[in-house]
Amino acid sequence: MKKWTMYGGLVLVLLLVAAGGLAYWLGMREEAVPAPARADASALIERGRYLAQVGNCAGCHTARGGQPYAGGTPIPTPFGALYGPNITPDAQTGIGSWSAEDFWRALHEGKGPGGKLLYPAFPYTEYTRMPREDVDALYAYLRTVAPVRQASRPPALTWPYDQRALLAGWRALNFRAGVYQPDPTQSVQWNRGRYLVQGPGHCAACHAPRDALGATQDGARLPGGVIPVLHWYAPPLNSDALRGLGTWSAADIAALLRHGMATPSVATGPMAEVVLGSTQHLTEADAQAIGLYLKSLPPAVALPDSKRAPTASVMSLGERLYSQHCASCHQANGRGSGQDWPPLAMNSSVTAISALNVIHMVLDGGFAPATAANPRPHGMPPFGPFMDDNDIAAVVTYIRSSWGNNAGAVTPLEVKRARQDARP
């Protein structure tokens, strides 16, 4: 019996070693590098400039008050902080010594020079869909920015997430390299929208939930999810009529992306930053293509209905507070006034599964992004300093339960947690 037990243990060890070796191979394998793009140099640089804006590269690689693309931007994660590296063409501290092939491997394979595994906060899981000509264009553009001698700040992750070698296992489970392949059954415009959403735009980074190891789930259908650490809710970008974009037109979506405002709603929170630094620079054709594609996405699987019915006393208090503080802009009927004061009635941001965005806006206020079409946006004042958690819960409950909205009640505890999450 002992002999068979020993043999069984040995077989188990060998199987574990084999499984570990397979996972390592899956996580480290590479595809052949395609031939470089052939294009006019000035056209390639201009194309790269546009792609840098579409991908919002400056959002992670330009610190507030810092030099463009010199890095240092903190990227908070549940596992600790990462910092956007220097991607200027400085030879010592940036990517000046990188070849075009090195840059291709970083975006397509998620590997730096020498095979160094990159953390997936850098969205190579989406950038892998970019073809060589787009990657080369982005590389050509970054070679034109001013070089900055500034060392990249190392990650500050907790153990064991600071062990970079473990990324091989994460990649084996969650990453497959592959350039975007157009769907021949769809139009050129639809395919362009899909590519921008799934590739350089990396919309799934916010609009899809993440598992315990930070991998996006169901990214193709963009079902929405709470953004880790930031505690804002990125709503579904599918055709769900109640919580997604089902009541929006493709033109509405394009308007929000380019102008930060549309008839159904305005961009707030993290999305306002994305519009400011990225999507306002989309061409009209690309914005319309994104709208067309998102309108084609089917609703995600319906989640269990867990909303709480509001009590009469809470609704009465909420109505009084709304009349006092909100109705002058958003109107007593919740229909708003033009695009400066958006409607709250049947607004998908208001009726979302999560009430986080409405709570944050009432607590902290905010502005729509300043864009070419709306250079001086109206702002909403913060009510958190003079309204307690009970009052804010009541007014948010009233907003989410009036004028045809049926999103359910909000508790003072939810407001308290949001207040704590907003603190630096």
Side-chain angles (χ1 to χ4, degrees), residues 47-58 69 127 130 138 192 195-197 199-203 274 277-283 286 290:
R47 182 176 181 176
R49 181 198 63 78
Y50 180 69
L51 287 167
Q53 292 174 326
V54 172
N56 197 22
C57 299
Y69 301 107
Y127 290 165
M130 296 175 66
L138 185 55
R192 176 64 176 172
Y195 167 66
L196 292 169
V197 166
H202 60 283
C203 301
V274 172
S278 175
T279 62
Q280 70 163 313
H281 303 290
L282 286 165
T283 64
D286 277 352
I290 290 173

Side-chain angles (χ1 to χ4, degrees), residues 212-231:
L213 293 178
T216 55
Q217 304 293 297
D218 201 14
R221 293 195 297 176
L222 301 173
V226 176
I227 304 173
V229 183
L230 297 183
H231 302 289

Side-chain angles (χ1 to χ4, degrees), residues 129 136 153 212 346:
R129 297 182 176 90
D136 280 357
R153 188 170 175 179
M346 303 307 291

Side-chain angles (χ1 to χ4, degrees), residues 301-321:
V301 176
L303 297 175
D305 190 356
S306 59
K307 63 178 180 285
R308 296 175 294 272
T311 64
S313 60
V314 167
M315 286 293 286
S316 177
L317 173 60
E319 183 178 20
R320 179 171 61 80
L321 292 169

Side-chain angles (χ1 to χ4, degrees), residues 82-94:
L82 294 162
Y83 299 89
N86 183 346
I87 57 172
T88 71
D90 180 70
Q92 294 186 22
T93 62

